[in-house]
């Protein structure tokens, strides 16, 4: 099971934590997790935040994955593009309402996927708003609409 949590009480701060747990005969066991905290000034134009978690050796988990929160409410679709054997392959991220005016997104990638990953965000008319290559397998950051 994948759990997402936000930390409360941090004004002008975007944060999201992902925890992967597995049920065994004794109950739920934490397996792996990660998260970010990004200070967002009032003047910032962040549209979408992301974190990339790589496939882990010796850990059976649905990784790699990318996840984040959506700041700009005009974003209606997020995709992650990878290249497998030199051919582009696109994965639609799942968008989930996480509270009033809060939305998170996540995408599981094939275990063979390696950076660069291209994150794209679209509006309701399927117009491309953001297009950014992510070079690191275990990084985080923010995307801007220019």
């Amino acid at each position: 099971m994948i759990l997402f949590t936000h930390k409360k009480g941090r004004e002008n701060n975007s944060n999201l934590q992902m925890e992967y747990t597995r049920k065994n005969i004794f109950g739920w066991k934490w397996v792996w997790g990660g998260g970010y905290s990004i200070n967002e000034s009032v003047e910032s134009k962040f549209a979408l935040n992301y974190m990339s978690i790589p496939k882990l050796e010796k850990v059976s988990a649905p990784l790699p994955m990318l996840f984040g929160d959506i700041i700009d409410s005009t974003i209606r679709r997020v995709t992650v593009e990878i290249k497998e054997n030199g051919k582009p392959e696109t994965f639609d991220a799942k968008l989930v309402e996480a509270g009033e005016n809060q939305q998170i997104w996540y995408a599981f990638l094939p275990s063979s996927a390696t950076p660069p990953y291209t994150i794209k965000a679209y509006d309701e008319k399927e117009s491309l708003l953001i297009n950014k290559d992510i070079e690191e397998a275990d990084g985080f950051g923010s995307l801007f609409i220019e």
Side-chain angles (χ1 to χ4, degrees):
M1 177 183 296
I2 301 286
L3 306 168
F4 292 101
T5 60
H6 278 107
K7 293 180 184 172
K8 298 280 185 195
R10 299 200 176 190
E11 192 173 327
N12 294 330
N13 213 22
S14 180
N15 63 76
L16 188 59
Q17 184 77 23
M18 181 281 297
E19 305 293 348
Y20 174 61
T21 61
R22 188 178 307 135
K23 192 170 188 175
N24 63 27
I25 60 171
F26 301 109
W28 290 96
K29 177 182 166 66
W30 180 85
V31 178
W32 195 258
Y36 61 83
S37 181
I38 299 172
N39 186 14
E40 297 178 353
S41 68
V42 176
E43 302 87 33
S44 74
K45 296 181 182 179
F46 292 155
L48 179 142
N49 296 318
Y50 73 90
M51 182 167 194
S52 174
I53 297 185
K55 180 178 178 354
L56 305 167
E57 296 298 321
K58 301 179 184 177
V59 175
S60 176
L63 302 172
M65 76 176 290
L66 280 84
F67 68 93
D69 50 348
I70 296 173
I71 310 302
D72 189 313
S73 63
T74 63
I75 295 174
R76 296 287 193 261
R77 180 175 173 230
V78 177
T79 65
V80 178
E81 186 177 289
I82 64 169
K83 288 195 176 160
E84 288 275 72
N85 300 320
K87 297 178 185 175
E89 190 171 350
T90 301
F91 296 86
D92 281 314
K94 176 133 173 110
L95 278 60
V96 179
E97 295 295 325
E100 189 175 331
N101 299 321
Q102 292 183 329
Q103 200 170 37
I104 60 173
W105 67 274
Y106 64 93
F108 296 109
L109 302 177
S111 62
S112 59
T114 59
Y117 306 127
T118 303
I119 299 174
K120 296 181 180 181
Y122 302 86
D123 66 13
E124 64 186 19
K125 295 179 182 176
E126 287 293 310
S127 297
L128 182 64
L129 299 172
I130 303 168
N131 180 22
K132 182 174 180 176
D133 289 334
I134 308 302
E135 299 292 336
E136 62 277 345
D138 59 352
F140 69 94
S142 299
L143 282 65
F144 306 87
I145 295 178
E146 297 179 16

